[in-house]
Amino acid sequence: MTIFSDSAFDNHEQVVFASDPETGLKAIIAVHNTNLGPSLGGCRMWPYASEQEAIHDVLRLSRGMTYKSALVNLPLGGGKSVIIGNPRSDKSPALFQAVGRAVERLNGRYIVAEDVGTTPADMQEIARQTRHVGGINDGKDAERTGDPSPFTAYGVFIGLKEAVKFRQGNDDLTGMRVAVQGLGNVGFHLCAMLHNAGAELIVADINPAAVERATTELGATAVSIDEILSVNADILAPCALGGVINDISIGKLKAGIIAGAANNQLEADRHGEMLRDMGVLYAPDYVINAGGVVEVHYCRQGRPVAETKRHIESIGETVREIFTRAARENKSTGFVADRLAEERFGKAA
C-alpha cells in the first residue's frame, strides 16, 4: 500500500518523512489542508506495529484536525505528526530537538503541539529548534501550565451537556450515569467536572492507579476494559484511543448518548448511521474535543485564559446546530458535522 491509496488519504497537501540517525528519529508529518491558515496538530509518539500503520494514523489524524479547527472557528488548517517509538523508553531531548528541526524546515506550514505520548517538556525541547510550536507555558498565567488537557476536557464537558440538553430539555447531570473509558489527563479532568456536576461515574482504564484514584477521589465505580462499553449508563464517554465504536461493540451499547474525548471514535462512517438508526445521540468527537486546540492557539497569541474558555464554550452552539440539522435532514450527526466543516474550510469539490 502507498500513501496515495491509503483510505485516509484525502488530497493531503504535503506528507514529510523525517529521520535522524544520531537520535534514531523516525517521524512523519502530514499537512492536510491550509485553506484557513497554517496547519496545527499534535505530535504523537507511539510504538506502531508497522510503518504503514503510522502513515495511516498520521493521515487520518491530520485530516481530522482540519475539520476540528474549522468547526471551532479557528484560523488554522489541519496537520499532525507521529514519531515511531516507545514514549516510555525511546525519548531523549536530542530526539525532540530533531523533531524541531524537521518542523522548522516546513517554514511555518505546520505548528506542532503535545499529543498522546508527548508532554509539555517535550515541546520545550522542540522549541529549541523552531518557534512553530504550541503548548509552551509562558509563566504569565497560573491557569496555563502548557498542558492543554484541562481545556480539551472542558470542551467535551460543554458538548456532553449540550447533548443531554438536546435529549431531555435541560443539561442537569445530577444522578446521570456516565461511563468513562480512559483516565488519562483528559479523561480524569472530565471525570472531575462530571463529578462536580452531580453525575455518577463508571470508569475503566488499563492503568490500575488511575482507576484507584477515580474511585477514591471521585467515588467512581470501576469496571473492566471489556465491560465499559456495554455497561448500563446514560452516557458513554470514550476517552482512550479511537475506533471503539465498531461492528463488535455497537450492538452491545446501552448508553443513549455518546460524547467523549477520543479521536476517531467511529471505526467507519457507517457506524454513525447505525447509531442514528439505534436512536443513540452521538456528539462528533472532533467537534467537542477541540478545546485543546483553542488553548494552543490562544496561548501562542498571548491571550488570557478567560478568552480561551469563552471560545471553548461556543462549542455548545456548534453542537446544537449539528444536532438540529441532523434531526431535520434525517442524517447522522457525523455526516452533518463533516458537511458543516467543509462549508467552513472550503473543501474543493
Side-chain angles (χ1 to χ4, degrees), residues 68 148-164 173 178 180 186-187 189-191 193-194 235-239 257-263 265 283-292 312-313 315-316 319 323:
K68 182 180 297 189
S149 299
F151 300 92
T152 301
Y154 186 48
V156 174
F157 182 68
I158 294 295
L160 183 151
K161 288 208 304 178
E162 195 62 45
V164 171
L173 300 180
V178 185
V180 181
V186 176
H189 282 297
L190 176 63
C191 282
M193 295 176 192
L194 292 167
I235 304 164
L236 171 64
C239 296
I257 293 171
I258 298 178
N263 285 309
Q265 292 166 29
D285 48 73
Y286 69 81
V287 181
I288 66 173
N289 70 10
I312 291 172
E313 287 161 5
I315 288 173
V319 171
F323 288 162

mmCIF file of all heavy atoms in Angstrom, residues 68 148-164 173 178 180 186-187 189-191 193-194 235-239 257-263 265 283-292 312-313 315-316 319 323:
data_model
loop_
_atom_site.group_PDB
_atom_site.id
_atom_site.type_symbol
_atom_site.label_atom_id
_atom_site.label_comp_id
_atom_site.label_asym_id
_atom_site.label_seq_id
_atom_site.Cartn_x
_atom_site.Cartn_y
_atom_site.Cartn_z
ATOM 1 N N LYS A 68 -11.652 19.788 12.663
ATOM 2 C CA LYS A 68 -11.772 20.274 14.039
ATOM 3 C C LYS A 68 -11.579 21.790 14.112
ATOM 4 O O LYS A 68 -12.395 22.500 14.709
ATOM 5 C CB LYS A 68 -10.738 19.576 14.922
ATOM 6 C CG LYS A 68 -10.788 19.967 16.387
ATOM 7 C CD LYS A 68 -9.724 19.240 17.195
ATOM 8 C CE LYS A 68 -9.934 17.757 17.201
ATOM 9 N NZ LYS A 68 -9.032 17.048 18.142
ATOM 10 N N PRO A 148 -2.637 21.192 27.524
ATOM 11 C CA PRO A 148 -3.970 21.555 27.019
ATOM 12 C C PRO A 148 -5.078 20.628 27.512
ATOM 13 O O PRO A 148 -6.257 20.871 27.226
ATOM 14 C CB PRO A 148 -3.796 21.427 25.494
ATOM 15 C CG PRO A 148 -2.754 20.378 25.332
ATOM 16 C CD PRO A 148 -1.807 20.548 26.494
ATOM 17 N N SER A 149 -4.736 19.594 28.261
ATOM 18 C CA SER A 149 -5.726 18.584 28.658
ATOM 19 C C SER A 149 -6.947 19.151 29.379
ATOM 20 O O SER A 149 -8.081 18.769 29.065
ATOM 21 C CB SER A 149 -5.069 17.509 29.527
ATOM 22 O OG SER A 149 -4.049 16.850 28.833
ATOM 23 N N PRO A 150 -6.773 20.051 30.359
ATOM 24 C CA PRO A 150 -7.964 20.580 31.035
ATOM 25 C C PRO A 150 -8.903 21.313 30.079
ATOM 26 O O PRO A 150 -10.127 21.283 30.256
ATOM 27 C CB PRO A 150 -7.378 21.537 32.081
ATOM 28 C CG PRO A 150 -5.976 21.081 32.281
ATOM 29 C CD PRO A 150 -5.533 20.564 30.956
ATOM 30 N N PHE A 151 -8.343 21.956 29.071
ATOM 31 C CA PHE A 151 -9.160 22.699 28.122
ATOM 32 C C PHE A 151 -9.872 21.754 27.163
ATOM 33 O O PHE A 151 -11.029 21.992 26.783
ATOM 34 C CB PHE A 151 -8.287 23.703 27.362
ATOM 35 C CG PHE A 151 -7.623 24.704 28.252
ATOM 36 C CD1 PHE A 151 -6.352 24.471 28.760
ATOM 37 C CD2 PHE A 151 -8.275 25.875 28.614
ATOM 38 C CE1 PHE A 151 -5.741 25.385 29.602
ATOM 39 C CE2 PHE A 151 -7.674 26.798 29.455
ATOM 40 C CZ PHE A 151 -6.408 26.554 29.952
ATOM 41 N N THR A 152 -9.196 20.670 26.787
ATOM 42 C CA THR A 152 -9.860 19.645 25.982
ATOM 43 C C THR A 152 -11.034 19.061 26.750
ATOM 44 O O THR A 152 -12.140 18.911 26.215
ATOM 45 C CB THR A 152 -8.870 18.522 25.617
ATOM 46 O OG1 THR A 152 -7.765 19.069 24.890
ATOM 47 C CG2 THR A 152 -9.543 17.457 24.767
ATOM 48 N N ALA A 153 -10.798 18.733 28.011
ATOM 49 C CA ALA A 153 -11.854 18.162 28.848
ATOM 50 C C ALA A 153 -13.025 19.135 29.008
ATOM 51 O O ALA A 153 -14.191 18.724 28.995
ATOM 52 C CB ALA A 153 -11.289 17.789 30.218
ATOM 53 N N TYR A 154 -12.723 20.427 29.112
ATOM 54 C CA TYR A 154 -13.788 21.419 29.278
ATOM 55 C C TYR A 154 -14.685 21.455 28.040
ATOM 56 O O TYR A 154 -15.912 21.522 28.148
ATOM 57 C CB TYR A 154 -13.169 22.788 29.540
ATOM 58 C CG TYR A 154 -14.179 23.872 29.872
ATOM 59 C CD1 TYR A 154 -15.170 23.657 30.826
ATOM 60 C CD2 TYR A 154 -14.135 25.114 29.240
ATOM 61 C CE1 TYR A 154 -16.087 24.642 31.140
ATOM 62 C CE2 TYR A 154 -15.044 26.110 29.548
ATOM 63 C CZ TYR A 154 -16.022 25.870 30.492
ATOM 64 O OH TYR A 154 -16.933 26.856 30.792
ATOM 65 N N GLY A 155 -14.083 21.375 26.860
ATOM 66 C CA GLY A 155 -14.884 21.353 25.640
ATOM 67 C C GLY A 155 -15.756 20.117 25.555
ATOM 68 O O GLY A 155 -16.926 20.186 25.134
ATOM 69 N N VAL A 156 -15.213 18.962 25.951
ATOM 70 C CA VAL A 156 -16.002 17.735 25.961
ATOM 71 C C VAL A 156 -17.163 17.859 26.938
ATOM 72 O O VAL A 156 -18.291 17.446 26.650
ATOM 73 C CB VAL A 156 -15.114 16.526 26.325
ATOM 74 C CG1 VAL A 156 -15.956 15.258 26.474
ATOM 75 C CG2 VAL A 156 -14.046 16.313 25.267
ATOM 76 N N PHE A 157 -16.894 18.446 28.095
ATOM 77 C CA PHE A 157 -17.945 18.660 29.098
ATOM 78 C C PHE A 157 -19.053 19.556 28.548
ATOM 79 O O PHE A 157 -20.248 19.261 28.709
ATOM 80 C CB PHE A 157 -17.323 19.283 30.347
ATOM 81 C CG PHE A 157 -18.274 19.518 31.482
ATOM 82 C CD1 PHE A 157 -18.848 18.456 32.167
ATOM 83 C CD2 PHE A 157 -18.599 20.808 31.884
ATOM 84 C CE1 PHE A 157 -19.718 18.676 33.234
ATOM 85 C CE2 PHE A 157 -19.466 21.035 32.935
ATOM 86 C CZ PHE A 157 -20.032 19.972 33.612
ATOM 87 N N ILE A 158 -18.667 20.623 27.857
ATOM 88 C CA ILE A 158 -19.654 21.525 27.248
ATOM 89 C C ILE A 158 -20.486 20.773 26.218
ATOM 90 O O ILE A 158 -21.727 20.882 26.177
ATOM 91 C CB ILE A 158 -18.949 22.731 26.585
ATOM 92 C CG1 ILE A 158 -18.273 23.619 27.638
ATOM 93 C CG2 ILE A 158 -19.930 23.547 25.748
ATOM 94 C CD1 ILE A 158 -19.216 24.300 28.599
ATOM 95 N N GLY A 159 -19.822 19.999 25.353
ATOM 96 C CA GLY A 159 -20.533 19.248 24.325
ATOM 97 C C GLY A 159 -21.427 18.167 24.903
ATOM 98 O O GLY A 159 -22.544 17.931 24.412
ATOM 99 N N LEU A 160 -20.961 17.499 25.947
ATOM 100 C CA LEU A 160 -21.756 16.464 26.598
ATOM 101 C C LEU A 160 -23.032 17.056 27.201
ATOM 102 O O LEU A 160 -24.130 16.496 27.045
ATOM 103 C CB LEU A 160 -20.901 15.785 27.671
ATOM 104 C CG LEU A 160 -21.491 14.617 28.452
ATOM 105 C CD1 LEU A 160 -20.393 13.648 28.892
ATOM 106 C CD2 LEU A 160 -22.242 15.110 29.707
ATOM 107 N N LYS A 161 -22.891 18.191 27.860
ATOM 108 C CA LYS A 161 -24.071 18.829 28.442
ATOM 109 C C LYS A 161 -25.060 19.271 27.355
ATOM 110 O O LYS A 161 -26.280 19.213 27.547
ATOM 111 C CB LYS A 161 -23.662 20.036 29.292
ATOM 112 C CG LYS A 161 -22.983 19.658 30.597
ATOM 113 C CD LYS A 161 -23.198 20.700 31.684
ATOM 114 C CE LYS A 161 -22.734 22.084 31.255
ATOM 115 N NZ LYS A 161 -23.004 23.082 32.323
ATOM 116 N N GLU A 162 -24.543 19.710 26.220
ATOM 117 C CA GLU A 162 -25.417 20.115 25.117
ATOM 118 C C GLU A 162 -26.188 18.912 24.588
ATOM 119 O O GLU A 162 -27.365 19.030 24.228
ATOM 120 C CB GLU A 162 -24.597 20.753 24.002
ATOM 121 C CG GLU A 162 -25.412 21.520 22.992
ATOM 122 C CD GLU A 162 -26.160 22.701 23.587
ATOM 123 O OE1 GLU A 162 -25.565 23.465 24.368
ATOM 124 O OE2 GLU A 162 -27.380 22.842 23.286
ATOM 125 N N ALA A 163 -25.546 17.748 24.553
ATOM 126 C CA ALA A 163 -26.228 16.532 24.121
ATOM 127 C C ALA A 163 -27.338 16.155 25.091
ATOM 128 O O ALA A 163 -28.440 15.777 24.685
ATOM 129 C CB ALA A 163 -25.227 15.384 23.993
ATOM 130 N N VAL A 164 -27.054 16.273 26.379
ATOM 131 C CA VAL A 164 -28.070 15.987 27.395
ATOM 132 C C VAL A 164 -29.241 16.951 27.249
ATOM 133 O O VAL A 164 -30.422 16.549 27.301
ATOM 134 C CB VAL A 164 -27.458 16.079 28.806
ATOM 135 C CG1 VAL A 164 -28.544 16.009 29.879
ATOM 136 C CG2 VAL A 164 -26.442 14.964 29.010
ATOM 137 N N LEU A 173 -27.020 17.247 35.076
ATOM 138 C CA LEU A 173 -26.372 15.942 35.088
ATOM 139 C C LEU A 173 -26.548 15.191 36.403
ATOM 140 O O LEU A 173 -26.025 14.084 36.558
ATOM 141 C CB LEU A 173 -24.872 16.104 34.811
ATOM 142 C CG LEU A 173 -24.478 16.743 33.476
ATOM 143 C CD1 LEU A 173 -22.960 16.836 33.363
ATOM 144 C CD2 LEU A 173 -25.041 15.965 32.306
ATOM 145 N N VAL A 178 -22.544 8.088 33.878
ATOM 146 C CA VAL A 178 -21.631 8.347 32.770
ATOM 147 C C VAL A 178 -20.497 7.335 32.821
ATOM 148 O O VAL A 178 -19.770 7.239 33.816
ATOM 149 C CB VAL A 178 -21.054 9.774 32.828
ATOM 150 C CG1 VAL A 178 -20.202 10.041 31.585
ATOM 151 C CG2 VAL A 178 -22.171 10.810 32.929
ATOM 152 N N VAL A 180 -16.986 6.328 31.580
ATOM 153 C CA VAL A 180 -15.800 6.973 31.005
ATOM 154 C C VAL A 180 -14.745 5.911 30.729
ATOM 155 O O VAL A 180 -14.242 5.259 31.647
ATOM 156 C CB VAL A 180 -15.241 8.057 31.948
ATOM 157 C CG1 VAL A 180 -14.020 8.720 31.320
ATOM 158 C CG2 VAL A 180 -16.308 9.106 32.251
ATOM 159 N N VAL A 186 -6.936 13.915 29.999
ATOM 160 C CA VAL A 186 -8.237 14.457 29.602
ATOM 161 C C VAL A 186 -9.362 13.713 30.306
ATOM 162 O O VAL A 186 -10.291 14.326 30.848
ATOM 163 C CB VAL A 186 -8.415 14.391 28.079
ATOM 164 C CG1 VAL A 186 -9.816 14.865 27.692
ATOM 165 C CG2 VAL A 186 -7.366 15.241 27.380
ATOM 166 N N GLY A 187 -9.289 12.387 30.298
ATOM 167 C CA GLY A 187 -10.355 11.601 30.890
ATOM 168 C C GLY A 187 -10.560 11.891 32.367
ATOM 169 O O GLY A 187 -11.702 12.002 32.830
ATOM 170 N N HIS A 189 -9.695 14.701 34.026
ATOM 171 C CA HIS A 189 -10.255 16.057 34.163
ATOM 172 C C HIS A 189 -11.755 16.060 33.874
ATOM 173 O O HIS A 189 -12.532 16.721 34.573
ATOM 174 C CB HIS A 189 -9.541 17.023 33.217
ATOM 175 C CG HIS A 189 -8.192 17.477 33.691
ATOM 176 N ND1 HIS A 189 -8.026 18.213 34.847
ATOM 177 C CD2 HIS A 189 -6.961 17.319 33.161
ATOM 178 C CE1 HIS A 189 -6.731 18.475 35.020
ATOM 179 N NE2 HIS A 189 -6.073 17.949 34.014
ATOM 180 N N LEU A 190 -12.157 15.320 32.844
ATOM 181 C CA LEU A 190 -13.577 15.238 32.524
ATOM 182 C C LEU A 190 -14.347 14.597 33.668
ATOM 183 O O LEU A 190 -15.430 15.070 34.050
ATOM 184 C CB LEU A 190 -13.775 14.435 31.234
ATOM 185 C CG LEU A 190 -15.228 14.195 30.818
ATOM 186 C CD1 LEU A 190 -15.942 15.511 30.523
ATOM 187 C CD2 LEU A 190 -15.289 13.268 29.598
ATOM 188 N N CYS A 191 -13.798 13.532 34.235
ATOM 189 C CA CYS A 191 -14.454 12.870 35.362
ATOM 190 C C CYS A 191 -14.668 13.835 36.532
ATOM 191 O O CYS A 191 -15.718 13.825 37.185
ATOM 192 C CB CYS A 191 -13.635 11.670 35.821
ATOM 193 S SG CYS A 191 -13.798 10.202 34.785
ATOM 194 N N MET A 193 -15.023 17.082 36.414
ATOM 195 C CA MET A 193 -16.102 18.011 36.066
ATOM 196 C C MET A 193 -17.467 17.337 36.181
ATOM 197 O O MET A 193 -18.423 17.934 36.689
ATOM 198 C CB MET A 193 -15.894 18.545 34.644
ATOM 199 C CG MET A 193 -14.655 19.388 34.472
ATOM 200 S SD MET A 193 -14.426 19.881 32.736
ATOM 201 C CE MET A 193 -12.736 20.523 32.814
ATOM 202 N N LEU A 194 -17.561 16.105 35.712
ATOM 203 C CA LEU A 194 -18.820 15.369 35.791
ATOM 204 C C LEU A 194 -19.208 15.108 37.246
ATOM 205 O O LEU A 194 -20.377 15.234 37.636
ATOM 206 C CB LEU A 194 -18.695 14.043 35.041
ATOM 207 C CG LEU A 194 -18.557 14.147 33.515
ATOM 208 C CD1 LEU A 194 -18.117 12.803 32.933
ATOM 209 C CD2 LEU A 194 -19.864 14.600 32.886
ATOM 210 N N ILE A 235 -24.783 7.845 29.485
ATOM 211 C CA ILE A 235 -23.823 8.462 28.567
ATOM 212 C C ILE A 235 -22.554 7.617 28.541
ATOM 213 O O ILE A 235 -22.081 7.177 29.593
ATOM 214 C CB ILE A 235 -23.475 9.899 29.017
ATOM 215 C CG1 ILE A 235 -24.736 10.758 29.142
ATOM 216 C CG2 ILE A 235 -22.477 10.551 28.054
ATOM 217 C CD1 ILE A 235 -24.529 12.044 29.932
ATOM 218 N N LEU A 236 -22.002 7.427 27.357
ATOM 219 C CA LEU A 236 -20.703 6.802 27.203
ATOM 220 C C LEU A 236 -19.723 7.858 26.730
ATOM 221 O O LEU A 236 -19.980 8.545 25.741
ATOM 222 C CB LEU A 236 -20.765 5.663 26.182
ATOM 223 C CG LEU A 236 -19.423 5.047 25.759
ATOM 224 C CD1 LEU A 236 -18.747 4.373 26.947
ATOM 225 C CD2 LEU A 236 -19.620 4.065 24.609
ATOM 226 N N ALA A 237 -18.601 7.976 27.449
ATOM 227 C CA ALA A 237 -17.577 8.959 27.094
ATOM 228 C C ALA A 237 -16.270 8.234 26.784
ATOM 229 O O ALA A 237 -15.447 8.002 27.675
ATOM 230 C CB ALA A 237 -17.378 9.961 28.235
ATOM 231 N N PRO A 238 -16.029 7.881 25.506
ATOM 232 C CA PRO A 238 -14.749 7.267 25.143
ATOM 233 C C PRO A 238 -13.623 8.299 25.217
ATOM 234 O O PRO A 238 -13.665 9.325 24.545
ATOM 235 C CB PRO A 238 -14.972 6.811 23.695
ATOM 236 C CG PRO A 238 -16.467 6.810 23.500
ATOM 237 C CD PRO A 238 -16.950 7.931 24.371
ATOM 238 N N CYS A 239 -12.624 8.035 26.028
ATOM 239 C CA CYS A 239 -11.515 8.974 26.219
ATOM 240 C C CYS A 239 -10.166 8.263 26.098
ATOM 241 O O CYS A 239 -9.173 8.712 26.671
ATOM 242 C CB CYS A 239 -11.623 9.668 27.575
ATOM 243 S SG CYS A 239 -13.077 10.713 27.772
ATOM 244 N N ILE A 257 -26.435 8.274 24.787
ATOM 245 C CA ILE A 257 -25.622 9.393 24.316
ATOM 246 C C ILE A 257 -24.165 8.955 24.306
ATOM 247 O O ILE A 257 -23.707 8.306 25.250
ATOM 248 C CB ILE A 257 -25.787 10.631 25.217
ATOM 249 C CG1 ILE A 257 -27.210 11.194 25.121
ATOM 250 C CG2 ILE A 257 -24.761 11.718 24.875
ATOM 251 C CD1 ILE A 257 -27.502 12.290 26.150
ATOM 252 N N ILE A 258 -23.447 9.320 23.247
ATOM 253 C CA ILE A 258 -22.004 9.108 23.200
ATOM 254 C C ILE A 258 -21.342 10.466 23.049
ATOM 255 O O ILE A 258 -21.601 11.189 22.084
ATOM 256 C CB ILE A 258 -21.589 8.190 22.035
ATOM 257 C CG1 ILE A 258 -22.218 6.810 22.205
ATOM 258 C CG2 ILE A 258 -20.069 8.077 21.955
ATOM 259 C CD1 ILE A 258 -21.907 5.847 21.071
ATOM 260 N N ALA A 259 -20.510 10.819 24.018
ATOM 261 C CA ALA A 259 -19.822 12.115 23.998
ATOM 262 C C ALA A 259 -18.523 11.970 24.767
ATOM 263 O O ALA A 259 -18.525 11.939 25.998
ATOM 264 C CB ALA A 259 -20.695 13.207 24.622
ATOM 265 N N GLY A 260 -17.411 11.877 24.046
ATOM 266 C CA GLY A 260 -16.126 11.681 24.701
ATOM 267 C C GLY A 260 -14.997 12.387 23.989
ATOM 268 O O GLY A 260 -15.195 13.055 22.970
ATOM 269 N N ALA A 261 -13.795 12.217 24.526
ATOM 270 C CA ALA A 261 -12.635 12.982 24.068
ATOM 271 C C ALA A 261 -11.796 12.267 23.022
ATOM 272 O O ALA A 261 -11.006 12.904 22.321
ATOM 273 C CB ALA A 261 -11.737 13.329 25.259
ATOM 274 N N ALA A 262 -11.916 10.946 22.903
ATOM 275 C CA ALA A 262 -11.063 10.200 21.980
ATOM 276 C C ALA A 262 -11.275 10.648 20.542
ATOM 277 O O ALA A 262 -12.398 10.967 20.139
ATOM 278 C CB ALA A 262 -11.341 8.709 22.107
ATOM 279 N N ASN A 263 -10.197 10.670 19.769
ATOM 280 C CA ASN A 263 -10.302 10.983 18.347
ATOM 281 C C ASN A 263 -10.768 9.755 17.574
ATOM 282 O O ASN A 263 -10.441 8.626 17.913
ATOM 283 C CB ASN A 263 -8.940 11.428 17.797
ATOM 284 C CG ASN A 263 -8.584 12.836 18.229
ATOM 285 O OD1 ASN A 263 -9.370 13.764 18.077
ATOM 286 N ND2 ASN A 263 -7.390 12.996 18.773
ATOM 287 N N GLN A 265 -13.627 8.069 17.099
ATOM 288 C CA GLN A 265 -14.307 7.034 17.876
ATOM 289 C C GLN A 265 -15.033 6.032 16.986
ATOM 290 O O GLN A 265 -15.130 4.856 17.329
ATOM 291 C CB GLN A 265 -15.287 7.686 18.846
ATOM 292 C CG GLN A 265 -14.607 8.474 19.956
ATOM 293 C CD GLN A 265 -15.558 9.384 20.707
ATOM 294 O OE1 GLN A 265 -16.751 9.090 20.812
ATOM 295 N NE2 GLN A 265 -15.054 10.494 21.224
ATOM 296 N N ALA A 283 -22.272 12.853 19.797
ATOM 297 C CA ALA A 283 -21.633 14.166 19.671
ATOM 298 C C ALA A 283 -20.292 13.943 18.979
ATOM 299 O O ALA A 283 -19.375 13.374 19.591
ATOM 300 C CB ALA A 283 -21.436 14.805 21.038
ATOM 301 N N PRO A 284 -20.147 14.343 17.703
ATOM 302 C CA PRO A 284 -18.917 14.039 16.964
ATOM 303 C C PRO A 284 -17.676 14.450 17.737
ATOM 304 O O PRO A 284 -17.558 15.580 18.210
ATOM 305 C CB PRO A 284 -19.088 14.859 15.678
ATOM 306 C CG PRO A 284 -20.570 14.925 15.485
ATOM 307 C CD PRO A 284 -21.124 15.068 16.875
ATOM 308 N N ASP A 285 -16.750 13.501 17.858
ATOM 309 C CA ASP A 285 -15.602 13.700 18.753
ATOM 310 C C ASP A 285 -14.756 14.902 18.371
ATOM 311 O O ASP A 285 -14.313 15.656 19.229
ATOM 312 C CB ASP A 285 -14.741 12.437 18.799
ATOM 313 C CG ASP A 285 -14.413 11.871 17.429
ATOM 314 O OD1 ASP A 285 -13.596 12.465 16.707
ATOM 315 O OD2 ASP A 285 -14.966 10.813 17.084
ATOM 316 N N TYR A 286 -14.516 15.116 17.071
ATOM 317 C CA TYR A 286 -13.609 16.201 16.691
ATOM 318 C C TYR A 286 -14.250 17.577 16.861
ATOM 319 O O TYR A 286 -13.573 18.589 16.760
ATOM 320 C CB TYR A 286 -13.081 16.010 15.266
ATOM 321 C CG TYR A 286 -14.082 16.170 14.150
ATOM 322 C CD1 TYR A 286 -14.434 17.432 13.682
ATOM 323 C CD2 TYR A 286 -14.653 15.058 13.536
ATOM 324 C CE1 TYR A 286 -15.332 17.584 12.641
ATOM 325 C CE2 TYR A 286 -15.541 15.202 12.494
ATOM 326 C CZ TYR A 286 -15.882 16.466 12.044
ATOM 327 O OH TYR A 286 -16.772 16.610 11.009
ATOM 328 N N VAL A 287 -15.548 17.592 17.144
ATOM 329 C CA VAL A 287 -16.217 18.858 17.466
ATOM 330 C C VAL A 287 -16.015 19.192 18.943
ATOM 331 O O VAL A 287 -15.561 20.282 19.300
ATOM 332 C CB VAL A 287 -17.718 18.791 17.149
ATOM 333 C CG1 VAL A 287 -18.395 20.132 17.460
ATOM 334 C CG2 VAL A 287 -17.952 18.404 15.692
ATOM 335 N N ILE A 288 -16.325 18.231 19.810
ATOM 336 C CA ILE A 288 -16.331 18.545 21.238
ATOM 337 C C ILE A 288 -14.956 18.430 21.892
ATOM 338 O O ILE A 288 -14.767 18.935 23.006
ATOM 339 C CB ILE A 288 -17.366 17.690 22.008
ATOM 340 C CG1 ILE A 288 -16.997 16.203 22.004
ATOM 341 C CG2 ILE A 288 -18.751 17.888 21.415
ATOM 342 C CD1 ILE A 288 -17.917 15.368 22.900
ATOM 343 N N ASN A 289 -13.975 17.789 21.214
ATOM 344 C CA ASN A 289 -12.654 17.689 21.844
ATOM 345 C C ASN A 289 -11.686 18.749 21.334
ATOM 346 O O ASN A 289 -10.468 18.609 21.458
ATOM 347 C CB ASN A 289 -12.067 16.274 21.691
ATOM 348 C CG ASN A 289 -11.671 15.938 20.259
ATOM 349 O OD1 ASN A 289 -11.644 16.791 19.375
ATOM 350 N ND2 ASN A 289 -11.362 14.673 20.025
ATOM 351 N N ALA A 290 -12.221 19.837 20.784
ATOM 352 C CA ALA A 290 -11.381 20.872 20.176
ATOM 353 C C ALA A 290 -10.857 21.910 21.169
ATOM 354 O O ALA A 290 -10.132 22.829 20.780
ATOM 355 C CB ALA A 290 -12.158 21.591 19.067
ATOM 356 N N GLY A 291 -11.199 21.775 22.448
ATOM 357 C CA GLY A 291 -10.773 22.781 23.419
ATOM 358 C C GLY A 291 -9.273 22.920 23.538
ATOM 359 O O GLY A 291 -8.742 24.020 23.731
ATOM 360 N N GLY A 292 -8.541 21.814 23.401
ATOM 361 C CA GLY A 292 -7.082 21.876 23.494
ATOM 362 C C GLY A 292 -6.475 22.667 22.348
ATOM 363 O O GLY A 292 -5.492 23.400 22.532
ATOM 364 N N ILE A 312 -14.096 28.233 23.904
ATOM 365 C CA ILE A 312 -14.447 26.818 24.066
ATOM 366 C C ILE A 312 -15.939 26.656 24.333
ATOM 367 O O ILE A 312 -16.573 25.711 23.830
ATOM 368 C CB ILE A 312 -13.613 26.191 25.203
ATOM 369 C CG1 ILE A 312 -12.147 26.098 24.788
ATOM 370 C CG2 ILE A 312 -14.137 24.804 25.580
ATOM 371 C CD1 ILE A 312 -11.209 25.670 25.900
ATOM 372 N N GLU A 313 -16.509 27.568 25.077
ATOM 373 C CA GLU A 313 -17.944 27.477 25.376
ATOM 374 C C GLU A 313 -18.807 27.593 24.128
ATOM 375 O O GLU A 313 -19.946 27.121 24.106
ATOM 376 C CB GLU A 313 -18.311 28.535 26.418
ATOM 377 C CG GLU A 313 -17.795 28.175 27.813
ATOM 378 C CD GLU A 313 -17.714 29.354 28.767
ATOM 379 O OE1 GLU A 313 -18.143 30.470 28.389
ATOM 380 O OE2 GLU A 313 -17.195 29.156 29.886
ATOM 381 N N ILE A 315 -18.417 25.941 21.585
ATOM 382 C CA ILE A 315 -18.590 24.582 21.061
ATOM 383 C C ILE A 315 -20.032 24.135 21.227
ATOM 384 O O ILE A 315 -20.580 23.429 20.374
ATOM 385 C CB ILE A 315 -17.622 23.605 21.761
ATOM 386 C CG1 ILE A 315 -16.179 23.850 21.287
ATOM 387 C CG2 ILE A 315 -18.019 22.153 21.526
ATOM 388 C CD1 ILE A 315 -15.131 23.048 22.040
ATOM 389 N N GLY A 316 -20.661 24.560 22.317
ATOM 390 C CA GLY A 316 -22.055 24.188 22.557
ATOM 391 C C GLY A 316 -22.975 24.638 21.435
ATOM 392 O O GLY A 316 -23.881 23.895 21.022
ATOM 393 N N VAL A 319 -22.422 22.324 18.388
ATOM 394 C CA VAL A 319 -23.030 21.019 18.634
ATOM 395 C C VAL A 319 -24.548 21.099 18.466
ATOM 396 O O VAL A 319 -25.171 20.218 17.847
ATOM 397 C CB VAL A 319 -22.665 20.506 20.041
ATOM 398 C CG1 VAL A 319 -23.467 19.257 20.386
ATOM 399 C CG2 VAL A 319 -21.182 20.206 20.133
ATOM 400 N N PHE A 323 -26.805 18.906 15.829
ATOM 401 C CA PHE A 323 -27.925 18.064 16.253
ATOM 402 C C PHE A 323 -29.212 18.478 15.547
ATOM 403 O O PHE A 323 -29.986 17.633 15.089
ATOM 404 C CB PHE A 323 -28.125 18.173 17.765
ATOM 405 C CG PHE A 323 -27.073 17.486 18.588
ATOM 406 C CD1 PHE A 323 -26.904 17.811 19.929
ATOM 407 C CD2 PHE A 323 -26.234 16.531 18.044
ATOM 408 C CE1 PHE A 323 -25.944 17.185 20.707
ATOM 409 C CE2 PHE A 323 -25.261 15.895 18.804
ATOM 410 C CZ PHE A 323 -25.118 16.227 20.139
#
